[in-house]
Amino acid sequence: MPKLKLPAPPVPPAFKPKPRRPDEHQHTAIDHAKEGGIGAIGWVDERMGASGFGRWLMFRKVPKGTNWFYTLGSATMFAFLNQAITGVFLAMYYDPNAINAYESVRYISNEAFLGEFVRGMHKWGSSVMVILIFLHMARTFFFGAYKYPRELNWVIGVALLILTMAMSFTGYLLPFDQRSYWATVVGVNINGTGPLVGPYLSDFLRAGPDFTATTLSRFYAIHMMLIPGAIAALIGAHLYLVTKHGTTAPPWMKAETDPDLRTEKE
Amino acid sequence: MNHRQKEEYLREYSILKNQGKPFWPYAVAKDGAMAAVVIGSIILMSIVLGAELGPKADGTTTTYVPRPEWYFFFLFELLRIIKPPELVPLATIGIPTICMILLFLLPFYDRGPERRPEKRPIATTAGIFTIVAMGYLTYLGAAAGSPNEIEMEPPPSVVAQGEQMVEQFESGKQVVAQAGCLACHKIGENGNDGPGPHLDDIGARVGRDAIARTMVNPTAPMPSYAQLQEENPERFNNLVAFLSQLKGEEEE
Ligand code: HEM
């Protein structure tokens, strides 16, 4: 943790607490509740020491000129969280074996409470996440944000992009309807044409030379344990580096020298 | 970037950063607004567009559409554009792998200090070209349908072989139409031009047994029809019969 002297954050005027009047009663229930809350936070912080991290994360400055394009990264993260949460609810009903998979998805769509809605959010959320990740990548590309000292963050980003596409690929099979089945058969075959590792990769995905019942459970395990874990960990590393280096200023911003340095102070 | 340029960048950046605003609450407010738009759009799409579920997966025969999710169209279209069989591995794996490596290594070969897009003509042009190419390929993929009907009269050579042959031809045609072959092959005016070869004269080029062997044990990325042969040999035979009668003769 770098030892930073952080300035008190400027609070917009409307949110500034009003100073207490001298004759004000200090022992209302609200006052007690406030003190209780602060006391509890203090208790935890005394034992965990996380407030330094919180200040480091929240009260760092973002450079002058930061604009809406800079929200695309966090928007990608929220799309990922949406996938994670809706995915948990789908997993409560989904049955990853070739005999029951289709039926369980049909049950989710037609019978389970809000089932089709949650499935729809997961399905369309995947498109939204892919669009956002490409937009975010385009932003960092055109702003030259991959240059020194943020090269490593770009590399982590590309890994996230590949993993996101792998999520889409493995998830597409799970409803186990005609379209998803045949698209995946062709997709795995395409993998197999690759040089050297191609055939091995295909055999690994299919769990053997043929498309069998094990293939589905393998895709399921990859889709809901292996890749999401890797993505979550990499997003953590990505955001750590973002916070550490700070986000870039837009490339056309020029630093003005502090006027105090130029003119004599009265 | 050499050492001096790095120092210069860091200095300039620290000034800009100091002139900025704190993350909380300013950036958080923007991020939060954007997050609301994102989640709102997802909810809206889910309500309006729903989540369809096609017929159950069936390894034998079907009216299936072997189509990936739309954001994979650009990869699939590469296959249609690069057709010679010996180049297929290039399209399927070669080009995407090279692009991935180029993407990974970007910060290591583009190390100039300049960050303004208009002052980085090569990077900016390459970026725009990539976006346009991917957009165009996605559009092509979206526009290519997967027809499941074949309009084609039995050619004279089939008619000459008698009533029974015509019947087999017709029902084989049905199987081909329903099995999704047209997603990747073209027969007469029907179907998509690639990734697979034209089948107009497949019967003239390849023997009947060889066709059957290919159906069971195809070259990737074509899926195998072994299950169809096992579970419904009659349909499978009709399919092979139909294909072996295509001699490319009824072209005018
Ligand atoms: C799951 C996917 C991803 C998430 C959740 C994510 C999240 C973020 C966030 C929140 C930021 C802070 C600044 C901003 O929002 O623009 C950021 C910055 C950055 N991201 Fe990502 N990102 C993802 C994928 C990618 C990809 C695919 C790339 C590029 C290949 C990438 C490269 C970068 C770079 C270079 C920065 C630094 C930008 C700067 O300092 O201006 N990220 N990311």
Side-chain angles (χ1 to χ4, degrees):
Chain A
M1 188 79 41
K3 285 225 165 48
L4 289 174
K5 270 257 169 170
L6 290 150
V11 180
F15 291 103
K16 283 211 174 106
K18 303 239 168 359
R20 198 188 288 281
R21 310 227 60 90
D23 56 342
E24 213 169 24
H25 219 286
Q26 306 224 352
H27 300 288
T28 61
I30 295 181
D31 286 325
H32 282 302
K34 264 190 203 160
E35 262 157 45
I38 293 168
I41 294 171
W43 189 92
V44 172
D45 192 43
E46 197 179 340
R47 281 150 190 85
M48 201 161 81
S51 69
F53 173 77
R55 271 201 300 277
W56 177 70
L57 188 71
M58 298 312 262
F59 297 145
R60 70 195 151 101
K61 283 192 169 175
V62 293
K64 211 165 87 172
T66 298
N67 55 32
W68 284 96
F69 287 116
Y70 287 76
T71 61
L72 290 167
S74 70
T76 314
M77 185 184 72
F78 283 112
F80 174 71
L81 289 179
N82 171 67
Q83 295 306 92
I85 294 167
T86 52
V88 166
F89 284 101
L90 292 177
M92 290 175 185
Y93 294 96
Y94 182 73
D95 189 354
N97 72 65
I99 300 161
N100 298 333
Y102 180 80
E103 267 312 303
S104 68
V105 176
R106 208 195 48 71
Y107 179 85
I108 292 172
S109 290
N110 299 346
E111 253 126 293
F113 175 64
L114 286 183
E116 186 177 3
F117 176 63
V118 173
R119 218 190 121 214
M121 279 185 76
H122 198 73
K123 177 188 157 81
W124 295 107
S126 84
S127 288
V128 169
M129 181 171 171
V130 170
I131 293 173
L132 287 172
I133 199 172
F134 274 109
L135 288 178
H136 171 59
M137 186 166 90
R139 195 288 279 170
T140 54
F141 178 81
F142 287 117
F143 281 26
Y146 53 86
K147 298 192 171 193
Y148 177 83
R150 300 182 182 80
E151 296 96 328
L152 190 57
N153 224 11
W154 172 268
V155 173
I156 294 176
V158 178
L160 280 169
L161 176 73
I162 294 173
L163 289 174
T164 304
M165 294 310 261
M167 276 306 259
S168 314
F169 180 71
T170 48
Y172 201 54
L173 174 68
L174 302 182
F176 220 57
D177 61 2
Q178 288 286 57
R179 170 200 282 263
S180 70
Y181 177 80
W182 288 102
T184 309
V185 170
V186 174
V188 173
N189 284 351
I190 289 179
N191 266 320
T193 62
L196 303 178
V197 290
Y200 296 102
L201 186 60
S202 292
D203 282 354
F204 169 73
L205 284 173
R206 271 188 303 243
D210 294 313
F211 214 95
T212 59
T214 344
T215 315
L216 182 62
S217 52
R218 180 159 297 203
F219 268 58
Y220 182 62
I222 296 175
H223 182 78
M224 79 158 250
M225 312 231 275
L226 188 61
I227 306 182
I231 290 185
L234 285 177
I235 289 181
H238 198 70
L239 294 188
Y240 167 72
L241 287 180
V242 166
T243 315
K244 183 174 158 58
H245 294 302
T247 47
T248 52
W252 51 84
M253 290 304 275
K254 278 267 156 274
E256 295 153 25
T257 336
D258 194 335
D260 288 355
L261 293 178
R262 267 192 264 129
T263 49
E264 199 74 30
K265 262 195 172 174
E266 262 95 291
Chain B
M1 280 170 102
N2 57 35
H3 200 70
R4 188 178 56 81
Q5 288 164 329
K6 286 182 183 171
E7 290 295 327
E8 257 172 29
Y9 173 76
L10 291 180
R11 215 184 103 256
E12 171 102 357
Y13 177 70
S14 76
I15 296 174
L16 279 170
K17 188 169 172 178
N18 259 317
Q19 291 170 342
K21 291 178 175 167
F23 181 69
W24 167 270
Y26 295 95
V28 171
K30 268 187 186 168
D31 285 347
M34 188 66 176
V37 171
V38 167
I39 302 295
S41 325
I42 296 176
I43 288 177
L44 198 69
M45 285 203 253
S46 174
I47 291 173
V48 175
L49 301 168
E52 58 171 322
L53 182 65
K56 188 173 175 170
D58 176 357
T60 57
T61 191
T62 53
T63 33
Y64 77 87
V65 193
R67 286 186 116 194
E69 189 67 291
W70 66 268
Y71 39 76
F72 283 115
F73 281 173
F74 72 98
L75 283 177
F76 197 60
E77 282 306 306
L78 270 181
L79 276 177
R80 260 198 248 282
I81 286 177
I82 302 176
K83 245 174 287 151
E86 63 279 8
L87 289 185
V88 162
L90 186 70
T92 52
I93 302 290
I95 294 179
T97 309
I98 292 169
C99 291
M100 275 300 133
I101 293 173
L102 285 180
L103 209 56
F104 259 119
L105 297 182
L106 171 67
F108 303 100
Y109 55 82
D110 177 15
R111 314 201 307 180
E114 185 56 62
R115 284 161 205 250
R116 277 166 293 178
E118 70 274 17
K119 295 270 169 79
R120 298 186 291 138
I122 301 177
T124 305
T125 316
I128 292 174
F129 173 78
T130 310
I131 292 173
V132 171
M134 281 174 64
Y136 178 65
L137 288 174
T138 304
Y139 165 76
L140 281 185
S146 181
N148 43 28
E149 248 175 65
I150 300 181
E151 279 174 35
M152 178 187 250
E153 293 305 312
S157 62
V158 171
V159 179
Q161 290 175 58
E163 189 66 14
Q164 211 192 342
M165 194 65 219
V166 174
E167 235 164 66
Q168 209 178 22
F169 184 89
E170 286 296 332
S171 66
K173 192 169 89 180
Q174 280 286 313
V175 181
V176 169
Q178 290 177 0
C181 309
L182 300 181
C184 302
H185 294 282
K186 192 160 187 172
I187 303 177
E189 291 301 303
N190 310 280
N192 290 326
D193 191 3
H198 284 209
L199 297 179
D200 291 320
D201 55 351
I202 188 74
R205 281 187 285 136
V206 188
R208 194 187 157 120
D209 291 345
I211 293 179
R213 269 201 304 279
T214 306
M215 302 298 301
V216 173
N217 209 347
T219 40
M222 178 169 151
S224 161
Y225 290 80
Q227 270 199 48
L228 175 64
Q229 186 191 34
E230 259 165 48
E231 284 167 34
N232 206 331
E234 197 196 319
R235 283 174 72 92
F236 184 82
N237 281 337
N238 292 344
L239 172 87
V240 175
F242 167 73
L243 289 174
S244 58
Q245 291 300 328
L246 294 176
K247 312 247 172 166
E249 54 193 322
E250 28 76 73
E251 234 105 296
E252 52 271 64

